[in-house]
Amino acid sequence: MAATLAASRSLRNLLIRRVMAPTPQGLSLSLCPMSSTAQDEASTAAPRETPDHSYESLQVTVAQKHILHVQLNRPEKRNAMNRAFWREMVECFNKIAQDPDCRAVVISGAGKLFTAGIDLTDIASEILQPHGDDVARISWYLRRLISRYQETFSVIEKCPKPVIAAVHGACVGAGVDLITACDIRYCAQDALFQVKEVDVGLVADVGTLQRLPKVIGNQSLVNELAFTSRKMMADEALGSGLVSRVFPDKVGMLDAAFTLAAEISTKSPVAVQSTKISLVYSRNHSVAEGLNYMATWNMSMLQTQDIVKSVQAAMDKQELKNVTFSKL
């Protein structure tokens, strides 16, 4: 008990010294009483449309305070990814990345399944009848096309807001590319995952072969799935680490995904978004490079007011959902 009290006093003294120290112009660290209306609890109100997001293949709504819900919205086509989808996902997540009100995103599929993958009937001409006068020019055209399609899912990874994939039913082909670019994956018991490309004579080229090995950490299993296009069911997906939780149905899964997003949204957006950026960077670099990157990153991020507010809340035994963090 004495040690705990001493640690508490040390932390409080450290906080006070920080508050009283000279601060850069425009940076206020005063410990004023927090507003009782600072942050409401996660709202249970009906989702509302977002005027900045109007798409043909997606539906974007504000699910709760600070949380956006992005739905693949072609249920009559099994959420197959047409040309509009590949373009609109980039536009959508670039906007989300710059949205100061958004702190977390849930992405799901409307209708009976997550996605059937690429809509070959819509984009076959781009692939099978490429433009160009000779092999070199056709190759340059295809390279630009592939790079543009890759950005459709890389933009999710580049977005600093945590993205939670909520999968029900089939998640086929490019659907696996999509979810492996997300930060967290939940699924319903009826979910199945299939790296389908070899069945249509293609090599998966928009992210699965690069991200899936790092997601599940089992190269043998990745090779098996990619060479055979066999289906991976929900329980195997959980055991392999592709998803972190499985739920009995879509409703329960979405409830859990929004609960998780709400929990994330109560934290400092500086801390959460910096953490995502660090995790993505460190995945592709050595430990030494990751540590050096973080030293450079945190030399500015440690100056945020969010640290003082979070520590004060802990000392006052106050929940973070009642702390007002500035928009980011």
mmCIF file with all atom_site columns, all heavy atoms in Angstrom, residues 151-176:
data_model
loop_
_atom_site.group_PDB
_atom_site.id
_atom_site.type_symbol
_atom_site.label_atom_id
_atom_site.label_alt_id
_atom_site.label_comp_id
_atom_site.label_asym_id
_atom_site.label_entity_id
_atom_site.label_seq_id
_atom_site.pdbx_PDB_ins_code
_atom_site.Cartn_x
_atom_site.Cartn_y
_atom_site.Cartn_z
_atom_site.occupancy
_atom_site.B_iso_or_equiv
_atom_site.pdbx_formal_charge
_atom_site.auth_seq_id
_atom_site.auth_comp_id
_atom_site.auth_asym_id
_atom_site.auth_atom_id
_atom_site.pdbx_PDB_model_num
ATOM 1   N N   . GLU A 1 151 ? -3.877  0.212   -54.721 1.00 0.00 ? 151 GLU A N   1
ATOM 2   C CA  . GLU A 1 151 ? -4.106  1.354   -53.849 1.00 0.00 ? 151 GLU A CA  1
ATOM 3   C C   . GLU A 1 151 ? -5.480  1.302   -53.200 1.00 0.00 ? 151 GLU A C   1
ATOM 4   O O   . GLU A 1 151 ? -5.674  1.857   -52.103 1.00 0.00 ? 151 GLU A O   1
ATOM 5   C CB  . GLU A 1 151 ? -3.942  2.657   -54.644 1.00 0.00 ? 151 GLU A CB  1
ATOM 6   C CG  . GLU A 1 151 ? -4.069  3.929   -53.817 1.00 0.00 ? 151 GLU A CG  1
ATOM 7   C CD  . GLU A 1 151 ? -2.990  4.089   -52.766 1.00 0.00 ? 151 GLU A CD  1
ATOM 8   O OE1 . GLU A 1 151 ? -1.977  3.350   -52.822 1.00 0.00 ? 151 GLU A OE1 1
ATOM 9   O OE2 . GLU A 1 151 ? -3.142  4.953   -51.879 1.00 0.00 ? 151 GLU A OE2 1
ATOM 10  N N   . THR A 1 152 ? -6.426  0.603   -53.824 1.00 0.00 ? 152 THR A N   1
ATOM 11  C CA  . THR A 1 152 ? -7.772  0.485   -53.269 1.00 0.00 ? 152 THR A CA  1
ATOM 12  C C   . THR A 1 152 ? -7.752  -0.102  -51.866 1.00 0.00 ? 152 THR A C   1
ATOM 13  O O   . THR A 1 152 ? -8.564  0.273   -51.015 1.00 0.00 ? 152 THR A O   1
ATOM 14  C CB  . THR A 1 152 ? -8.642  -0.383  -54.198 1.00 0.00 ? 152 THR A CB  1
ATOM 15  O OG1 . THR A 1 152 ? -8.781  0.280   -55.456 1.00 0.00 ? 152 THR A OG1 1
ATOM 16  C CG2 . THR A 1 152 ? -10.024 -0.624  -53.608 1.00 0.00 ? 152 THR A CG2 1
ATOM 17  N N   . PHE A 1 153 ? -6.830  -1.021  -51.602 1.00 0.00 ? 153 PHE A N   1
ATOM 18  C CA  . PHE A 1 153 ? -6.740  -1.617  -50.268 1.00 0.00 ? 153 PHE A CA  1
ATOM 19  C C   . PHE A 1 153 ? -5.581  -1.044  -49.457 1.00 0.00 ? 153 PHE A C   1
ATOM 20  O O   . PHE A 1 153 ? -5.675  -0.942  -48.233 1.00 0.00 ? 153 PHE A O   1
ATOM 21  C CB  . PHE A 1 153 ? -6.623  -3.134  -50.382 1.00 0.00 ? 153 PHE A CB  1
ATOM 22  C CG  . PHE A 1 153 ? -7.784  -3.751  -51.123 1.00 0.00 ? 153 PHE A CG  1
ATOM 23  C CD1 . PHE A 1 153 ? -7.577  -4.714  -52.094 1.00 0.00 ? 153 PHE A CD1 1
ATOM 24  C CD2 . PHE A 1 153 ? -9.078  -3.344  -50.863 1.00 0.00 ? 153 PHE A CD2 1
ATOM 25  C CE1 . PHE A 1 153 ? -8.640  -5.270  -52.782 1.00 0.00 ? 153 PHE A CE1 1
ATOM 26  C CE2 . PHE A 1 153 ? -10.156 -3.888  -51.551 1.00 0.00 ? 153 PHE A CE2 1
ATOM 27  C CZ  . PHE A 1 153 ? -9.937  -4.864  -52.505 1.00 0.00 ? 153 PHE A CZ  1
ATOM 28  N N   . SER A 1 154 ? -4.533  -0.624  -50.125 1.00 0.00 ? 154 SER A N   1
ATOM 29  C CA  . SER A 1 154 ? -3.430  0.006   -49.394 1.00 0.00 ? 154 SER A CA  1
ATOM 30  C C   . SER A 1 154 ? -3.898  1.272   -48.694 1.00 0.00 ? 154 SER A C   1
ATOM 31  O O   . SER A 1 154 ? -3.366  1.643   -47.637 1.00 0.00 ? 154 SER A O   1
ATOM 32  C CB  . SER A 1 154 ? -2.272  0.329   -50.342 1.00 0.00 ? 154 SER A CB  1
ATOM 33  O OG  . SER A 1 154 ? -1.663  -0.856  -50.816 1.00 0.00 ? 154 SER A OG  1
ATOM 34  N N   . VAL A 1 155 ? -4.904  1.942   -49.255 1.00 0.00 ? 155 VAL A N   1
ATOM 35  C CA  . VAL A 1 155 ? -5.401  3.181   -48.648 1.00 0.00 ? 155 VAL A CA  1
ATOM 36  C C   . VAL A 1 155 ? -6.002  2.910   -47.267 1.00 0.00 ? 155 VAL A C   1
ATOM 37  O O   . VAL A 1 155 ? -5.983  3.784   -46.394 1.00 0.00 ? 155 VAL A O   1
ATOM 38  C CB  . VAL A 1 155 ? -6.431  3.856   -49.594 1.00 0.00 ? 155 VAL A CB  1
ATOM 39  C CG1 . VAL A 1 155 ? -7.762  3.123   -49.596 1.00 0.00 ? 155 VAL A CG1 1
ATOM 40  C CG2 . VAL A 1 155 ? -6.630  5.307   -49.244 1.00 0.00 ? 155 VAL A CG2 1
ATOM 41  N N   . ILE A 1 156 ? -6.511  1.701   -47.046 1.00 0.00 ? 156 ILE A N   1
ATOM 42  C CA  . ILE A 1 156 ? -7.024  1.333   -45.721 1.00 0.00 ? 156 ILE A CA  1
ATOM 43  C C   . ILE A 1 156 ? -5.870  1.275   -44.730 1.00 0.00 ? 156 ILE A C   1
ATOM 44  O O   . ILE A 1 156 ? -5.954  1.779   -43.606 1.00 0.00 ? 156 ILE A O   1
ATOM 45  C CB  . ILE A 1 156 ? -7.748  -0.024  -45.769 1.00 0.00 ? 156 ILE A CB  1
ATOM 46  C CG1 . ILE A 1 156 ? -8.935  0.025   -46.724 1.00 0.00 ? 156 ILE A CG1 1
ATOM 47  C CG2 . ILE A 1 156 ? -8.201  -0.455  -44.376 1.00 0.00 ? 156 ILE A CG2 1
ATOM 48  C CD1 . ILE A 1 156 ? -9.600  -1.329  -46.952 1.00 0.00 ? 156 ILE A CD1 1
ATOM 49  N N   . GLU A 1 157 ? -4.797  0.650   -45.142 1.00 0.00 ? 157 GLU A N   1
ATOM 50  C CA  . GLU A 1 157 ? -3.609  0.521   -44.300 1.00 0.00 ? 157 GLU A CA  1
ATOM 51  C C   . GLU A 1 157 ? -2.967  1.873   -44.030 1.00 0.00 ? 157 GLU A C   1
ATOM 52  O O   . GLU A 1 157 ? -2.467  2.143   -42.936 1.00 0.00 ? 157 GLU A O   1
ATOM 53  C CB  . GLU A 1 157 ? -2.620  -0.410  -44.995 1.00 0.00 ? 157 GLU A CB  1
ATOM 54  C CG  . GLU A 1 157 ? -1.462  -0.882  -44.160 1.00 0.00 ? 157 GLU A CG  1
ATOM 55  C CD  . GLU A 1 157 ? -0.686  -1.945  -44.909 1.00 0.00 ? 157 GLU A CD  1
ATOM 56  O OE1 . GLU A 1 157 ? 0.072   -1.588  -45.845 1.00 0.00 ? 157 GLU A OE1 1
ATOM 57  O OE2 . GLU A 1 157 ? -0.844  -3.133  -44.581 1.00 0.00 ? 157 GLU A OE2 1
ATOM 58  N N   . LYS A 1 158 ? -2.992  2.759   -45.014 1.00 0.00 ? 158 LYS A N   1
ATOM 59  C CA  . LYS A 1 158 ? -2.399  4.089   -44.866 1.00 0.00 ? 158 LYS A CA  1
ATOM 60  C C   . LYS A 1 158 ? -3.262  5.004   -44.001 1.00 0.00 ? 158 LYS A C   1
ATOM 61  O O   . LYS A 1 158 ? -2.748  5.971   -43.425 1.00 0.00 ? 158 LYS A O   1
ATOM 62  C CB  . LYS A 1 158 ? -2.198  4.731   -46.243 1.00 0.00 ? 158 LYS A CB  1
ATOM 63  C CG  . LYS A 1 158 ? -1.164  4.041   -47.115 1.00 0.00 ? 158 LYS A CG  1
ATOM 64  C CD  . LYS A 1 158 ? -1.135  4.669   -48.504 1.00 0.00 ? 158 LYS A CD  1
ATOM 65  C CE  . LYS A 1 158 ? -0.163  3.960   -49.426 1.00 0.00 ? 158 LYS A CE  1
ATOM 66  N NZ  . LYS A 1 158 ? -0.190  4.527   -50.796 1.00 0.00 ? 158 LYS A NZ  1
ATOM 67  N N   . CYS A 1 159 ? -4.536  4.737   -43.928 1.00 0.00 ? 159 CYS A N   1
ATOM 68  C CA  . CYS A 1 159 ? -5.432  5.558   -43.111 1.00 0.00 ? 159 CYS A CA  1
ATOM 69  C C   . CYS A 1 159 ? -5.049  5.412   -41.644 1.00 0.00 ? 159 CYS A C   1
ATOM 70  O O   . CYS A 1 159 ? -4.970  4.285   -41.130 1.00 0.00 ? 159 CYS A O   1
ATOM 71  C CB  . CYS A 1 159 ? -6.883  5.117   -43.312 1.00 0.00 ? 159 CYS A CB  1
ATOM 72  S SG  . CYS A 1 159 ? -8.080  5.975   -42.265 1.00 0.00 ? 159 CYS A SG  1
ATOM 73  N N   . PRO A 1 160 ? -4.787  6.482   -40.926 1.00 0.00 ? 160 PRO A N   1
ATOM 74  C CA  . PRO A 1 160 ? -4.331  6.354   -39.537 1.00 0.00 ? 160 PRO A CA  1
ATOM 75  C C   . PRO A 1 160 ? -5.426  5.915   -38.563 1.00 0.00 ? 160 PRO A C   1
ATOM 76  O O   . PRO A 1 160 ? -5.119  5.529   -37.435 1.00 0.00 ? 160 PRO A O   1
ATOM 77  C CB  . PRO A 1 160 ? -3.830  7.755   -39.203 1.00 0.00 ? 160 PRO A CB  1
ATOM 78  C CG  . PRO A 1 160 ? -4.606  8.663   -40.103 1.00 0.00 ? 160 PRO A CG  1
ATOM 79  C CD  . PRO A 1 160 ? -4.798  7.895   -41.377 1.00 0.00 ? 160 PRO A CD  1
ATOM 80  N N   . LYS A 1 161 ? -6.687  5.957   -38.986 1.00 0.00 ? 161 LYS A N   1
ATOM 81  C CA  . LYS A 1 161 ? -7.776  5.539   -38.103 1.00 0.00 ? 161 LYS A CA  1
ATOM 82  C C   . LYS A 1 161 ? -7.859  4.012   -38.095 1.00 0.00 ? 161 LYS A C   1
ATOM 83  O O   . LYS A 1 161 ? -7.833  3.378   -39.158 1.00 0.00 ? 161 LYS A O   1
ATOM 84  C CB  . LYS A 1 161 ? -9.116  6.127   -38.572 1.00 0.00 ? 161 LYS A CB  1
ATOM 85  C CG  . LYS A 1 161 ? -9.070  7.567   -39.078 1.00 0.00 ? 161 LYS A CG  1
ATOM 86  C CD  . LYS A 1 161 ? -8.603  8.550   -38.029 1.00 0.00 ? 161 LYS A CD  1
ATOM 87  C CE  . LYS A 1 161 ? -8.385  9.954   -38.604 1.00 0.00 ? 161 LYS A CE  1
ATOM 88  N NZ  . LYS A 1 161 ? -9.598  10.650  -39.013 1.00 0.00 ? 161 LYS A NZ  1
ATOM 89  N N   . PRO A 1 162 ? -7.962  3.380   -36.922 1.00 0.00 ? 162 PRO A N   1
ATOM 90  C CA  . PRO A 1 162 ? -8.108  1.916   -36.884 1.00 0.00 ? 162 PRO A CA  1
ATOM 91  C C   . PRO A 1 162 ? -9.339  1.458   -37.653 1.00 0.00 ? 162 PRO A C   1
ATOM 92  O O   . PRO A 1 162 ? -10.417 2.050   -37.536 1.00 0.00 ? 162 PRO A O   1
ATOM 93  C CB  . PRO A 1 162 ? -8.245  1.622   -35.391 1.00 0.00 ? 162 PRO A CB  1
ATOM 94  C CG  . PRO A 1 162 ? -7.560  2.758   -34.715 1.00 0.00 ? 162 PRO A CG  1
ATOM 95  C CD  . PRO A 1 162 ? -7.850  3.953   -35.573 1.00 0.00 ? 162 PRO A CD  1
ATOM 96  N N   . VAL A 1 163 ? -9.173  0.405   -38.454 1.00 0.00 ? 163 VAL A N   1
ATOM 97  C CA  . VAL A 1 163 ? -10.257 -0.123  -39.285 1.00 0.00 ? 163 VAL A CA  1
ATOM 98  C C   . VAL A 1 163 ? -10.536 -1.565  -38.869 1.00 0.00 ? 163 VAL A C   1
ATOM 99  O O   . VAL A 1 163 ? -9.630  -2.408  -38.872 1.00 0.00 ? 163 VAL A O   1
ATOM 100 C CB  . VAL A 1 163 ? -9.897  -0.065  -40.777 1.00 0.00 ? 163 VAL A CB  1
ATOM 101 C CG1 . VAL A 1 163 ? -11.057 -0.612  -41.627 1.00 0.00 ? 163 VAL A CG1 1
ATOM 102 C CG2 . VAL A 1 163 ? -9.567  1.364   -41.202 1.00 0.00 ? 163 VAL A CG2 1
ATOM 103 N N   . ILE A 1 164 ? -11.786 -1.834  -38.502 1.00 0.00 ? 164 ILE A N   1
ATOM 104 C CA  . ILE A 1 164 ? -12.213 -3.149  -38.048 1.00 0.00 ? 164 ILE A CA  1
ATOM 105 C C   . ILE A 1 164 ? -13.045 -3.790  -39.153 1.00 0.00 ? 164 ILE A C   1
ATOM 106 O O   . ILE A 1 164 ? -14.080 -3.245  -39.549 1.00 0.00 ? 164 ILE A O   1
ATOM 107 C CB  . ILE A 1 164 ? -13.054 -3.050  -36.765 1.00 0.00 ? 164 ILE A CB  1
ATOM 108 C CG1 . ILE A 1 164 ? -12.266 -2.325  -35.665 1.00 0.00 ? 164 ILE A CG1 1
ATOM 109 C CG2 . ILE A 1 164 ? -13.521 -4.426  -36.301 1.00 0.00 ? 164 ILE A CG2 1
ATOM 110 C CD1 . ILE A 1 164 ? -13.136 -1.839  -34.512 1.00 0.00 ? 164 ILE A CD1 1
ATOM 111 N N   . ALA A 1 165 ? -12.612 -4.943  -39.657 1.00 0.00 ? 165 ALA A N   1
ATOM 112 C CA  . ALA A 1 165 ? -13.386 -5.676  -40.652 1.00 0.00 ? 165 ALA A CA  1
ATOM 113 C C   . ALA A 1 165 ? -14.347 -6.608  -39.930 1.00 0.00 ? 165 ALA A C   1
ATOM 114 O O   . ALA A 1 165 ? -13.938 -7.360  -39.041 1.00 0.00 ? 165 ALA A O   1
ATOM 115 C CB  . ALA A 1 165 ? -12.466 -6.470  -41.574 1.00 0.00 ? 165 ALA A CB  1
ATOM 116 N N   . ALA A 1 166 ? -15.618 -6.582  -40.313 1.00 0.00 ? 166 ALA A N   1
ATOM 117 C CA  . ALA A 1 166 ? -16.645 -7.442  -39.726 1.00 0.00 ? 166 ALA A CA  1
ATOM 118 C C   . ALA A 1 166 ? -17.209 -8.300  -40.852 1.00 0.00 ? 166 ALA A C   1
ATOM 119 O O   . ALA A 1 166 ? -17.958 -7.804  -41.702 1.00 0.00 ? 166 ALA A O   1
ATOM 120 C CB  . ALA A 1 166 ? -17.732 -6.608  -39.061 1.00 0.00 ? 166 ALA A CB  1
ATOM 121 N N   . VAL A 1 167 ? -16.858 -9.568  -40.862 1.00 0.00 ? 167 VAL A N   1
ATOM 122 C CA  . VAL A 1 167 ? -17.129 -10.446 -42.005 1.00 0.00 ? 167 VAL A CA  1
ATOM 123 C C   . VAL A 1 167 ? -18.223 -11.455 -41.670 1.00 0.00 ? 167 VAL A C   1
ATOM 124 O O   . VAL A 1 167 ? -18.138 -12.156 -40.661 1.00 0.00 ? 167 VAL A O   1
ATOM 125 C CB  . VAL A 1 167 ? -15.859 -11.200 -42.429 1.00 0.00 ? 167 VAL A CB  1
ATOM 126 C CG1 . VAL A 1 167 ? -16.145 -12.106 -43.617 1.00 0.00 ? 167 VAL A CG1 1
ATOM 127 C CG2 . VAL A 1 167 ? -14.729 -10.216 -42.761 1.00 0.00 ? 167 VAL A CG2 1
ATOM 128 N N   . HIS A 1 168 ? -19.225 -11.525 -42.523 1.00 0.00 ? 168 HIS A N   1
ATOM 129 C CA  . HIS A 1 168 ? -20.216 -12.590 -42.424 1.00 0.00 ? 168 HIS A CA  1
ATOM 130 C C   . HIS A 1 168 ? -20.360 -13.236 -43.802 1.00 0.00 ? 168 HIS A C   1
ATOM 131 O O   . HIS A 1 168 ? -20.125 -12.594 -44.833 1.00 0.00 ? 168 HIS A O   1
ATOM 132 C CB  . HIS A 1 168 ? -21.569 -12.048 -41.941 1.00 0.00 ? 168 HIS A CB  1
ATOM 133 C CG  . HIS A 1 168 ? -22.331 -11.315 -42.997 1.00 0.00 ? 168 HIS A CG  1
ATOM 134 N ND1 . HIS A 1 168 ? -21.937 -10.061 -43.460 1.00 0.00 ? 168 HIS A ND1 1
ATOM 135 C CD2 . HIS A 1 168 ? -23.445 -11.647 -43.703 1.00 0.00 ? 168 HIS A CD2 1
ATOM 136 C CE1 . HIS A 1 168 ? -22.791 -9.653  -44.385 1.00 0.00 ? 168 HIS A CE1 1
ATOM 137 N NE2 . HIS A 1 168 ? -23.709 -10.594 -44.557 1.00 0.00 ? 168 HIS A NE2 1
ATOM 138 N N   . GLY A 1 169 ? -20.727 -14.486 -43.836 1.00 0.00 ? 169 GLY A N   1
ATOM 139 C CA  . GLY A 1 169 ? -20.864 -15.173 -45.110 1.00 0.00 ? 169 GLY A CA  1
ATOM 140 C C   . GLY A 1 169 ? -19.533 -15.272 -45.832 1.00 0.00 ? 169 GLY A C   1
ATOM 141 O O   . GLY A 1 169 ? -18.462 -15.307 -45.221 1.00 0.00 ? 169 GLY A O   1
ATOM 142 N N   . ALA A 1 170 ? -19.608 -15.283 -47.161 1.00 0.00 ? 170 ALA A N   1
ATOM 143 C CA  . ALA A 1 170 ? -18.410 -15.493 -47.968 1.00 0.00 ? 170 ALA A CA  1
ATOM 144 C C   . ALA A 1 170 ? -17.546 -14.233 -48.051 1.00 0.00 ? 170 ALA A C   1
ATOM 145 O O   . ALA A 1 170 ? -18.055 -13.122 -48.186 1.00 0.00 ? 170 ALA A O   1
ATOM 146 C CB  . ALA A 1 170 ? -18.807 -15.942 -49.369 1.00 0.00 ? 170 ALA A CB  1
ATOM 147 N N   . CYS A 1 171 ? -16.251 -14.450 -47.956 1.00 0.00 ? 171 CYS A N   1
ATOM 148 C CA  . CYS A 1 171 ? -15.247 -13.397 -48.188 1.00 0.00 ? 171 CYS A CA  1
ATOM 149 C C   . CYS A 1 171 ? -14.255 -13.997 -49.176 1.00 0.00 ? 171 CYS A C   1
ATOM 150 O O   . CYS A 1 171 ? -13.344 -14.739 -48.795 1.00 0.00 ? 171 CYS A O   1
ATOM 151 C CB  . CYS A 1 171 ? -14.564 -13.008 -46.880 1.00 0.00 ? 171 CYS A CB  1
ATOM 152 S SG  . CYS A 1 171 ? -13.245 -11.783 -47.073 1.00 0.00 ? 171 CYS A SG  1
ATOM 153 N N   . VAL A 1 172 ? -14.457 -13.701 -50.448 1.00 0.00 ? 172 VAL A N   1
ATOM 154 C CA  . VAL A 1 172 ? -13.799 -14.432 -51.527 1.00 0.00 ? 172 VAL A CA  1
ATOM 155 C C   . VAL A 1 172 ? -12.858 -13.516 -52.304 1.00 0.00 ? 172 VAL A C   1
ATOM 156 O O   . VAL A 1 172 ? -13.156 -12.327 -52.518 1.00 0.00 ? 172 VAL A O   1
ATOM 157 C CB  . VAL A 1 172 ? -14.864 -15.038 -52.478 1.00 0.00 ? 172 VAL A CB  1
ATOM 158 C CG1 . VAL A 1 172 ? -14.211 -15.723 -53.674 1.00 0.00 ? 172 VAL A CG1 1
ATOM 159 C CG2 . VAL A 1 172 ? -15.752 -16.022 -51.728 1.00 0.00 ? 172 VAL A CG2 1
ATOM 160 N N   . GLY A 1 173 ? -11.748 -14.082 -52.752 1.00 0.00 ? 173 GLY A N   1
ATOM 161 C CA  . GLY A 1 173 ? -10.852 -13.381 -53.656 1.00 0.00 ? 173 GLY A CA  1
ATOM 162 C C   . GLY A 1 173 ? -10.372 -12.054 -53.116 1.00 0.00 ? 173 GLY A C   1
ATOM 163 O O   . GLY A 1 173 ? -9.678  -11.983 -52.092 1.00 0.00 ? 173 GLY A O   1
ATOM 164 N N   . ALA A 1 174 ? -10.740 -10.970 -53.783 1.00 0.00 ? 174 ALA A N   1
ATOM 165 C CA  . ALA A 1 174 ? -10.302 -9.638  -53.378 1.00 0.00 ? 174 ALA A CA  1
ATOM 166 C C   . ALA A 1 174 ? -10.814 -9.254  -51.998 1.00 0.00 ? 174 ALA A C   1
ATOM 167 O O   . ALA A 1 174 ? -10.283 -8.327  -51.378 1.00 0.00 ? 174 ALA A O   1
ATOM 168 C CB  . ALA A 1 174 ? -10.733 -8.596  -54.410 1.00 0.00 ? 174 ALA A CB  1
ATOM 169 N N   . GLY A 1 175 ? -11.838 -9.962  -51.511 1.00 0.00 ? 175 GLY A N   1
ATOM 170 C CA  . GLY A 1 175 ? -12.288 -9.722  -50.139 1.00 0.00 ? 175 GLY A CA  1
ATOM 171 C C   . GLY A 1 175 ? -11.202 -10.026 -49.129 1.00 0.00 ? 175 GLY A C   1
ATOM 172 O O   . GLY A 1 175 ? -11.075 -9.342  -48.103 1.00 0.00 ? 175 GLY A O   1
ATOM 173 N N   . VAL A 1 176 ? -10.400 -11.054 -49.411 1.00 0.00 ? 176 VAL A N   1
ATOM 174 C CA  . VAL A 1 176 ? -9.282  -11.389 -48.522 1.00 0.00 ? 176 VAL A CA  1
ATOM 175 C C   . VAL A 1 176 ? -8.206  -10.301 -48.615 1.00 0.00 ? 176 VAL A C   1
ATOM 176 O O   . VAL A 1 176 ? -7.601  -9.923  -47.609 1.00 0.00 ? 176 VAL A O   1
ATOM 177 C CB  . VAL A 1 176 ? -8.705  -12.776 -48.856 1.00 0.00 ? 176 VAL A CB  1
ATOM 178 C CG1 . VAL A 1 176 ? -7.525  -13.109 -47.949 1.00 0.00 ? 176 VAL A CG1 1
ATOM 179 C CG2 . VAL A 1 176 ? -9.791  -13.852 -48.731 1.00 0.00 ? 176 VAL A CG2 1
#
